Amino acid sequence: MRSLYNRIAGQNLERLAALSDGVFAVAMTLLVLDLRAPAAEAIHSEHDLLAALAALSPRLVTYMMSFLTLGIFWLGQQVQLDRLARGDRDLALLHIGFMFAVTLVPFSTGLLAEFMAYRTALLAYWANILLLGIVLYLTWGHASRARLVKDDTPPDVVAAICRRIIVAQSLYAFGAALCVFSTYLSIAFIALVQINYAVALPLALRR
Amino acid sequence: MRSLYNRIAGQNLERLAALSDGVFAVAMTLLVLDLRAPAAEAIHSEHDLLAALAALSPRLVTYMMSFLTLGIFWLGQQVQLDRLARGDRDLALLHIGFMFAVTLVPFSTGLLAEFMAYRTALLAYWANILLLGIVLYLTWGHASRARLVKDDTPPDVVAAICRRIIVAQSLYAFGAALCVFSTYLSIAFIALVQINYAVALPLALRR
Amino acid sequence: MRSLYNRIAGQNLERLAALSDGVFAVAMTLLVLDLRAPAAEAIHSEHDLLAALAALSPRLVTYMMSFLTLGIFWLGQQVQLDRLARGDRDLALLHIGFMFAVTLVPFSTGLLAEFMAYRTALLAYWANILLLGIVLYLTWGHASRARLVKDDTPPDVVAAICRRIIVAQSLYAFGAALCVFSTYLSIAFIALVQINYAVALPLALRR
Amino acid sequence: MRSLYNRIAGQNLERLAALSDGVFAVAMTLLVLDLRAPAAEAIHSEHDLLAALAALSPRLVTYMMSFLTLGIFWLGQQVQLDRLARGDRDLALLHIGFMFAVTLVPFSTGLLAEFMAYRTALLAYWANILLLGIVLYLTWGHASRARLVKDDTPPDVVAAICRRIIVAQSLYAFGAALCVFSTYLSIAFIALVQINYAVALPLALRR
């Protein structure tokens, strides 16, 4: 009985994509929700307001970094889903695990924004990125093993998706390790990795 | 006049799925929103921050359990919608009732996370899961009776969907009843049921 | 130049439906977000917690009523969109106005839940429902005039959609007028109208 | 390796539209979330409540203006996406940048609503609108250059989309510059531009 139910569950890839898009959209918008207008009582001049906004700028940097992170992982998930011919129940559950890691990002980002100088906050943030990577890797592994991938996918694409996750996670891990010296160094390195994946690389390839 | 209006209402299954995905996505993300970074004033060292994060871990467990619950019910709803050939107005309204139960989950989860030792909180949480199950059962019953199910659906699938809901709800009810001894026992049992549905079973079937 | 731009804008009905579904999903989930677990400091026994939850129940009723209202208007919008062959820029902007009214519902519901005995709160709530109705009426009027409706739509369907809005809004207006006697009477009447549209009517038709 | 991964990433225009719709839906609903029911302690009569609601009305105007802004930019993005035959990774990343600007709108709107008389708040708000325009312009430029636009798109449509952005942004910039005299003048001008784009123009064309 259970196996019959499980055989018919989780086959709808469009709804999996729709739920993921919803979770990403809410997580991305909530990120910025933590940016709060300063309290009116504390502001008595243009200069006060400018100073209050300037004081928000480190937070803004953290949010931009996390927004980019979510964007890159959204693309990473999409690359996988676009290659699938069908889904199954385990795939759906692995993606639900992936979404859980996505919903943690506003929390770990808020933690890092509040406690930028603390290694604990930085490592919690990195653990979140690591979790995203691990689940995405498991998801792809399951899709390959369970023959959910489209038949016309060349083997080098299957391998490229795995390698991409490992290379990116190695860079994040190196960045996190830099917190031995300074958490700011870690943040700068991870932000550069994200910017590299998002912007610099495509520019370089165009040359 | 009304019957004409009602005949043309609620036929669009894609929009019903889209609204549901949106409600699930928001509810899932809001769950974790209750995890708040500790107040900066209370943190003076790495040790303080680590202790504050460790103090959040029971909450994290509750949220994971509820996330999994939402994921399992999302799959359960999808199994039903995937089997439907068309919708009608009553079906849409039953699913709107289902979504109402979904939006209550962040509230009942927050209540349980705050008052883990209280039977009232545990029973409120269980009542929410029960409501999800009842509405899903009524939804499927209506779909079968109103002949909305696809013609190629074997009768054992129709029965399997009903049985699945009843078996799962019996387990949840047993778990809730364990609060006579201890609410923590109840939480552990319900969490195990969810993990079993999500993880252990597929692993077992693979052997 | 502008007319060229406007001619190509707003034709995508699927994206209009998707944006609407998103706005409805967020508004529906935020409704319940105002239900807050009681503060832990005030709760010292099961009895305290039960009393605190019981004190939330009038709010729960208001939220259920608003949830149902949103569900009914979501169905109403869907009936219209399902009948359209194509969109145009004005239609998109009218629906954006409709969504604005939708996003006001959590605010006006919170207001009513907080100030149930105040006519001002009740009339603000009714004004929100009225706005939803007016925009939906204008939307359908524009769709008919601009020949966006599918060719195979019988004229009585076009008329039934208009009449439905007018009948429902007349009932809401009557309910709001009852606040001359008591706002609770108004709330009860409007809640009954919603329940009638959602539940009683289909049951009656089945006989 | 990387170029292979990048070649297969970001091709799915439907998911890009779905993520955008989600981000817009959440941002639009959160806008109004800042409208809070007055505190029950401060309200002792109908008159108090009416006065408290009247005091919210400047905020309501700001929110309506931002809602309209989001609606207009949503239409602007849709016009572009509807003209595309396919996507690529850079396009997806540019749209993710666009969504980042969208998620900032609730923040900059809240800032303006709180500090209407401050030029800093007005210029921050304008900077947000400018960012939306710049990213949308870059997105279209990339789409044209990378030959992502549908083959049947007449050249004057390509040009009209560019011109539309430039004309609108010029008007916004002029409105922002009016803050030399008064920030209220700026707000009134920008609100009129939005209303013109949304309402007046179509009316004028109908004549």
Side-chain angles (χ1 to χ4, degrees), chain B residues 125-136:
Chain B
Y125 186 78
W126 168 68
N128 198 345
I129 294 187
L130 180 65
L131 184 63
L132 284 164
I134 288 173
V135 185
L136 214 49

Side-chain angles (χ1 to χ4, degrees), chain D residues 122-156:
Chain D
L122 184 100
L123 292 174
Y125 186 79
W126 169 67
N128 198 346
I129 294 187
L130 180 64
L131 184 64
L132 284 165
I134 288 174
V135 185
L136 214 49
Y137 192 88
L138 291 177
T139 307
W140 188 239
H142 170 71
S144 312
R145 255 180 291 109
R147 307 194 153 280
L148 306 173
V149 182
K150 280 177 192 159
D151 288 337
D152 63 350
T153 306
D156 55 345

